[in-house]
Amino acid sequence: MSDNAQLFLDSLWPIVEGAIKGTIPLALISFSLGLIIALIVALMRLSKSKVLSALARIYISIIRGTPLLVQLFVIFYGMPSVGITLDPWPSAIIAFSLNVGGYAAEVIRAAILSVPRGQWEAGYTIGMSQTQQLGRVILPQAARVSVPPLSNTFISLVKDSSLASLILVTETFRVSQEIAAFSQEFMLLYIEAALVYWVISTFLAFGQSMLEERLDRYVSK
Amino acid sequence: MSRNDANSGAGGNFGSQSQPGAMKRSDMNQGDVLFDVKGLSKSFGDLQVLKSIDLTVRKGQVSVLMGPSGSGKTTVLRSLNSLESPDGGTITFTGGPSFDFSKSQKKPERALLRDQSAMVFQQHNLFPHRTVLENVTEGPIHVQKTPKAQAIAEAEALLARVGLADKRDVYPFQLSGGQQQRVGIVRALALKPDVLLFDEPTSALDPELVGDVLAVMKELADEGWTMVVVTHEVTFARAVADQVVFMDGGVVLEASTPSQMFSNPRHRRTRQFLDRILNPLGE
């Protein structure tokens, strides 16, 4: 076996381990928290209160208008100067959650608006509270519409999580960087990292189509 | 007086309070007043869509609201179900709550008014992500807190009455328009309201499907349900209504029995309108 093949095999497990212990939990936790933020921000944006709606707008504008890397650095390297020092992991999770929150808020808002007004009225007329209308009538239908765009957000997040390597989080890319620096086989190790991201993304895309199929069961084709 | 203390829907009929045939259908002034609408008014911006509407609805009677589009009939109906908030006027239920719209209505008051009635929409507005049975039991189980088994049994009985027992587990998109609307009616019935409201229930249907829906509505009327119906179906109004209310430009031009209204309308505008819908080609 050639040296390269040997190096590929030897480094595969450490890199995959980086994905299992770094990239995947980082993406899952950030995406879950991000969705909660997004739902709250979307509802603020849709609320009749001008103040809440304006706050939501400003938040979305800042998140979408600044680079994720800058957001990450502000939290990890910037905050200590105002007396808040966070470890790499919490910093990364905060930055990624806030980022997903900003992008997904607009997706969720649009999905909620895509449900016909008659559905709110039907919920109201059978006696539902506003929370019930939202939870039992509107969101289940909005979910179907938002799966494709939210899947995009999720897959982007998996790849963007490689930025966490720059604030010292041990994840897929950082592991391959370290091995590359040591072995000087940059091409091989970075291709290997790319491969791992690609496999994860492919699984996610597969999950997306299964979810879409399930949510489409009540729609005529 | 609210949905919850009305009679049970199980059993041989649709669960109405009154006895079939207990009332002489020809006399619109007979029977106890269920509620009285006085001076109902509503503006959307500068447009005044309701200008002091009066309407008396008696228990067990069918009131048909007719009139050209934009006359305000749907707004009246939606106001009864709290889907619109009028700016003025009152709705008073005999021996029950009353609502004064000149004061702003708070959420619990709006909910109390809503709970007196149930609405059947023009576009049925069934929940597409729920099966037929789930659509019908949604209100009883999740709002009225009826025990699940009881709610399902009642829903199945109602579905059987409209000939849709075998459709309980399908999704709305798998039904025809007429079937969807019958489920819409059953969903309203399952709430056991004091008043059933119908907002042009057949206008969105293929002509050949209209009959099924009207037949169900006629059956409900015969069983003594109190109904307020916005419709252009003259045949239905003639056969089933106790009073026909003709509206135009946000006012009630006249209210009378169907025989009076269709054979000898008092108002020129009414005559014009009826002539146009009965004889659209103007021959």
Side-chain angles (χ1 to χ4, degrees):
Chain A
M1 199 183 283
S2 76
D3 287 352
N4 273 349
Q6 192 58 49
L7 179 61
F8 183 91
L9 288 178
D10 288 347
S11 57
L12 189 58
W13 173 242
I15 293 176
V16 169
E17 204 180 14
I20 293 170
K21 291 185 177 166
T23 304
I24 292 171
L26 194 56
L28 277 178
I29 296 170
S30 306
F31 190 68
S32 311
L33 294 176
L35 278 188
I36 296 171
I37 296 171
L39 179 61
I40 294 168
V41 173
L43 292 176
M44 284 169 63
R45 184 93 160 68
L46 290 168
S47 85
K48 286 188 194 114
S49 153
K50 287 213 170 84
V51 179
L52 290 181
S53 169
L55 284 175
R57 246 176 231 272
I58 292 168
Y59 170 75
I60 293 167
S61 167
I62 291 173
I63 293 295
R64 294 206 301 191
T66 58
L68 175 54
L69 185 59
V70 174
Q71 296 165 14
L72 203 58
F73 273 38
V74 165
I75 290 169
F76 186 68
Y77 294 112
M79 295 294 256
S81 61
V82 293
I84 301 168
T85 306
L86 294 168
D87 286 339
W89 261 85
S91 300
I93 285 177
I94 291 171
F96 292 144
S97 307
L98 289 175
N99 193 265
V100 168
Y103 279 92
E106 288 294 88
V107 171
I108 293 177
R109 182 178 72 93
I112 289 175
L113 289 175
S114 78
V115 180
R117 203 168 65 107
Q119 289 292 311
W120 287 95
E121 293 189 342
Y124 180 76
T125 197
I126 67 168
M128 287 183 169
S129 66
Q130 217 171 2
T131 317
Q132 282 180 313
Q133 291 169 54
L134 189 69
R136 299 195 58 81
V137 179
I138 304 302
L139 288 182
Q141 296 181 59
R144 193 183 72 82
V145 187
S146 52
V147 165
L150 286 181
S151 301
N152 264 347
T153 309
F154 192 26
I155 291 172
S156 294
L157 173 66
V158 167
K159 296 177 296 173
D160 290 347
S161 71
S162 60
L163 292 174
S165 63
L166 295 168
I167 60 164
L168 317 173
V169 174
T170 306
E171 47 68 71
T172 312
F173 185 62
R174 188 164 178 86
V175 173
S176 58
Q177 254 184 324
E178 280 164 357
I179 304 175
F182 177 77
S183 66
Q184 295 294 302
E185 288 292 343
F186 296 103
M187 185 65 169
L188 180 83
L189 266 303
Y190 291 153
I191 292 278
E192 205 170 348
L195 205 61
V196 170
Y197 284 109
W198 181 67
V199 169
I200 298 174
S201 303
T202 307
F203 270 108
L204 288 178
F206 180 66
Q208 174 189 351
S209 16
M210 289 210 306
L211 192 57
E212 279 180 34
E213 208 165 294
R214 192 180 141 64
L215 289 172
D216 270 352
R217 71 193 182 285
Y218 60 80
V219 184
S220 61
K221 277 159 214 99
Chain B
M1 204 191 288
S2 76
R3 285 166 183 166
N4 297 307
D5 46 47
N7 288 354
S8 152
N13 63 14
F14 284 110
S16 163
Q17 305 81 335
S18 335
Q19 287 306 306
M23 203 168 315
K24 212 172 94 207
R25 289 221 159 268
S26 55
D27 189 349
M28 63 181 266
N29 293 321
Q30 203 172 307
D32 301 332
V33 172
L34 180 60
F35 66 88
D36 238 325
V37 178
K38 285 249 179 296
L40 201 69
S41 54
K42 164 92 183 160
S43 299
F44 291 113
D46 288 339
L47 182 71
Q48 199 177 1
V49 288
L50 299 182
K51 302 167 186 161
S52 193
I53 300 286
D54 293 345
L55 176 72
T56 299
V57 170
R58 291 168 195 278
K59 210 168 176 183
Q61 288 204 335
V62 177
S63 306
V64 167
L65 306 185
M66 293 191 121
S69 58
S71 60
K73 51 198 192 307
T74 291
T75 309
V76 171
L77 197 75
R78 289 168 57 85
S79 299
L80 293 176
N81 197 225
S82 260
L83 286 166
E84 302 286 354
S85 312
D87 316 322
T90 58
I91 300 178
T92 310
F93 283 81
T94 309
S98 61
F99 306 89
D100 181 354
F101 297 105
S102 60
K103 305 176 194 120
S104 78
Q105 300 281 303
K106 294 195 181 65
K107 249 189 191 170
E109 290 171 291
R110 294 187 56 219
L112 182 62
L113 174 57
R114 168 195 67 189
D115 291 348
Q116 310 300 316
S117 60
M119 177 76 100
V120 176
F121 296 92
Q122 181 176 358
Q123 304 282 357
H124 67 72
N125 291 354
L126 293 178
F127 304 125
H129 60 302
R130 306 231 182 263
T131 64
V132 165
L133 186 73
E134 288 168 346
N135 263 280
V136 178
T137 57
E138 184 71 24
I141 292 176
H142 296 283
V143 176
Q144 300 183 340
K145 307 296 176 198
T146 308
K148 206 171 166 185
Q150 185 192 337
I152 291 175
E154 289 176 8
E156 284 174 335
L158 289 172
L159 286 170
R161 283 301 308 276
V162 300
L164 294 174
D166 57 327
K167 301 290 186 192
R168 52 165 273 172
D169 294 321
V170 308
Y171 286 99
F173 83 89
Q174 293 163 298
L175 301 175
S176 73
Q179 291 171 332
Q180 287 169 341
Q181 195 55 293
R182 279 181 277 159
V183 176
I185 294 174
V186 167
R187 180 172 69 176
L189 286 174
L191 301 168
K192 301 165 190 166
D194 286 339
V195 192
L196 287 171
L197 309 173
F198 296 83
D199 185 10
E200 303 201 25
T202 57
S203 327
L205 297 179
D206 286 344
E208 57 177 338
L209 302 176
V210 168
D212 291 348
V213 173
L214 292 183
V216 169
M217 289 168 63
K218 180 171 189 313
E219 235 178 286
L220 294 172
D222 290 343
E223 278 180 16
W225 282 86
T226 309
M227 296 160 61
V228 181
V229 185
V230 171
T231 185
H232 296 302
E233 298 289 341
V234 174
T235 325
F236 175 81
R238 218 194 283 267
V240 180
D242 296 284
Q243 68 166 338
V244 180
V245 177
F246 184 79
M247 290 181 64
D248 189 27
V251 297
V252 172
L253 278 188
E254 57 185 302
S256 61
T257 60
S259 53
Q260 162 83 26
M261 180 71 77
F262 295 123
S263 58
N264 191 18
R266 277 197 303 271
H267 245 270
R268 200 173 56 88
R269 184 72 188 91
T270 318
R271 210 169 303 144
Q272 246 176 13
F273 176 79
L274 289 175
D275 195 45
R276 209 165 290 164
I277 62 171
L278 291 169
N279 191 7
L281 293 177
E283 283 156 3

